[in-house]
Amino acid sequence: MRSLRLSVVTLIGLLVLTSCQAAEPVPAITSTAPQVTVEPEPEPVYQAAPLTGVSYLEGENLYLAMPAVSAKIDNTYSGRPQLALNEADIVYVTRVEVGLTRLLPVWHSRMPEAIGPVRSVRPVDASIVDPFHGIFVFSGGQAPFKSAAKSTGLVISDEDTEMKNETYYRESTRKAPWNLYFSARKLQGLYAAEQAVPQAGFEFDAIPSAVSQGLAAKGLSVKYPQLKSVWDLGTAKFDWAEPLQVAWLRTQDGTPHTQFGGDQVAAKNVVVLEVVHDLSFVDPKYGAIPKAKLVNNEGIAHVFSDGYYLKGSWSKGESEDPIILTTASGEVLKLAIGNTWVEMMDVPKSVLKISLTEPATE
């Protein structure tokens, strides 16, 4: 009986001992493998083209770091169709003698292979191209007009300055003086280190001011003394966006204005500036040569973006300052993202007509 008690006590002791041993903590196993830190994907960085507001992935569009190229382009029947108008960021329509117009496009975010036909410089050109820096292309002109262009500090390029570079050529299918063209990319590359990128003037927004504050419109026309420019609401394919965007399509003198290749001229924005013109310079052969009075001046601006119209104001300081657009309340007037055509209407000789989708209400 005594030995049985002893066995029970011994058994209990063993159980207590085993329980205590089981309760002891188990040492943690430390891994010697290196710790891998997963870095988050960097947010993409975009930069906007200064003259269109179109955003490009950083480093994607190398032209944004290059200087702009501006050129005086013919706009008569003999000079059409022109090259690469739809690739220009901004195109200015300027009055010249005998009631006609010429074009002054500015290429920057997209640079075509060739541009033309190139014509001679006019008095207003210096004050238009000055804020854009870069290279200004023209073919001759009156001495004071050429001097004004040179005073901007831009690279002045014509057949004489480029004789050794082989950047200009005569198109055999055209007659002089409507056959002078130049190699835009080659010319831009030659002077890339000499000029800064253009400074922005107009501002852009996904919801432009005309859409948020204006009236629905379906078209407009500007009747110059010797030609008529018409813009109708439609759609066009722009290479910076998805297919078929709302656009203004240009007609001149009753015929669709097409560029070489057959595409109709299209713009996301059309800006009509009411500008007083100086007629004091008289050419013995052609008569008065109009000069738009932009420098230290202001006036009424009619802005058409994405199917809407808004009346505002324009102003410009010195020659090197950009043209600024403002609303009636004095706020910055923002354009639709994309290319812009600027019709510089000479008042009172030219007439603007606007076609609204619905009549304006008081």
Side-chain angles (χ1 to χ4, degrees):
M1 187 67 171
R2 183 180 175 185
S3 72
L4 178 59
R5 285 198 203 104
L6 182 59
S7 298
V8 171
V9 172
T10 302
L11 179 59
I12 292 172
L14 290 171
L15 289 173
V16 171
L17 180 60
T18 303
S19 176
C20 291
Q21 290 175 342
E24 291 180 359
V26 178
I29 300 174
T30 303
S31 173
T32 58
Q35 297 296 314
V36 178
T37 302
V38 179
E39 295 290 341
E41 287 290 330
E43 290 292 327
V45 177
Y46 293 90
Q47 61 181 134
L51 307 185
T52 64
V54 175
S55 292
Y56 297 90
L57 194 63
E58 190 174 54
E60 177 185 45
N61 187 341
L62 300 181
Y63 292 121
L64 298 186
M66 301 280 278
V69 176
S70 307
K72 198 68 176 183
I73 301 297
D74 193 272
N75 194 35
T76 63
Y77 176 82
S78 299
R80 298 195 300 268
Q82 302 96 337
L83 282 180
L85 292 180
N86 282 341
E87 293 178 67
D89 288 355
I90 305 178
V91 179
Y92 290 84
V93 183
T94 67
R95 267 294 318 277
V96 292
E97 56 280 2
V98 299
L100 298 174
T101 65
R102 282 188 182 169
L103 307 180
L104 207 174
V106 184
W107 290 268
H108 180 238
S109 65
R110 298 163 296 161
M111 192 59 56
E113 191 68 39
I115 291 172
V118 180
R119 295 301 303 275
S120 54
V121 66
R122 287 297 183 272
V124 71
D125 298 343
S127 60
I128 293 177
V129 300
D130 202 348
F132 301 123
H133 312 304
I135 305 148
F136 180 33
V137 173
F138 57 82
S139 175
Q142 302 274 4
F145 310 158
K146 292 193 291 184
S147 177
K150 291 178 181 178
S151 70
T152 63
L154 275 70
V155 171
I156 302 303
S157 175
D158 59 24
E159 279 187 294
D160 294 333
T161 65
E162 299 297 320
M163 287 183 66
K164 296 180 180 179
N165 295 327
E166 298 182 351
T167 48
Y168 285 69
Y169 63 94
R170 294 282 175 174
E171 174 55 55
S172 60
T173 61
R174 296 276 186 102
K175 293 182 179 180
W178 304 285
N179 63 348
L180 179 61
Y181 294 77
F182 69 96
S183 303
R185 293 178 188 172
K186 183 176 181 180
L187 189 67
Q188 183 193 44
L190 288 173
Y191 301 106
E194 297 184 26
Q195 288 286 316
V197 299
Q199 63 171 313
F202 301 148
E203 294 192 22
F204 304 88
D205 198 284
I207 303 177
S209 300
V211 173
S212 61
Q213 304 176 39
L215 301 169
K218 54 186 177 183
L220 68 135
S221 67
V222 180
K223 178 65 178 71
Y224 295 98
Q226 292 296 326
L227 62 87
K228 187 176 183 179
S229 172
V230 177
W231 294 89
D232 293 310
L233 187 63
T235 56
K237 171 67 177 70
F238 297 102
D239 59 12
W240 66 78
E242 293 299 319
L244 292 182
Q245 290 224 335
V246 175
W248 302 101
L249 305 179
R250 194 171 197 270
T251 297
Q252 186 163 302
D253 293 333
T255 303
H257 186 177
T258 58
Q259 62 178 14
F260 186 79
D263 291 337
Q264 188 169 3
V265 167
K268 286 295 290 181
N269 306 285
V270 177
V271 178
V272 180
L273 304 182
E274 293 190 14
V275 188
V276 174
H277 282 59
D278 180 355
L279 302 175
S280 61
F281 189 98
V282 179
D283 181 86
K285 182 177 180 181
Y286 298 106
I289 298 179
K291 176 183 179 181
K293 298 172 73 173
L294 294 177
V295 175
N296 294 319
N297 214 335
E298 59 185 18
I300 296 172
H302 304 273
V303 177
F304 301 82
S305 300
D306 281 349
Y308 285 81
Y309 160 69
L310 183 63
K311 185 177 180 179
S313 301
W314 68 267
S315 62
K316 180 179 170 69
E318 299 298 332
S319 176
E320 65 270 19
D321 295 326
I323 295 172
I324 303 298
L325 300 175
T326 53
T327 65
S329 60
E331 300 174 343
V332 174
L333 198 161
K334 297 184 178 181
L335 303 180
I337 294 171
N339 67 326
T340 302
W341 275 61
V342 180
E343 301 257 3
M344 296 204 305
M345 184 179 77
D346 53 332
V347 291
K349 292 182 177 295
S350 299
V351 178
L352 169 67
K353 289 187 177 181
I354 302 168
S355 298
L356 297 176
T357 302
E358 296 180 2
T361 56
E362 295 295 335

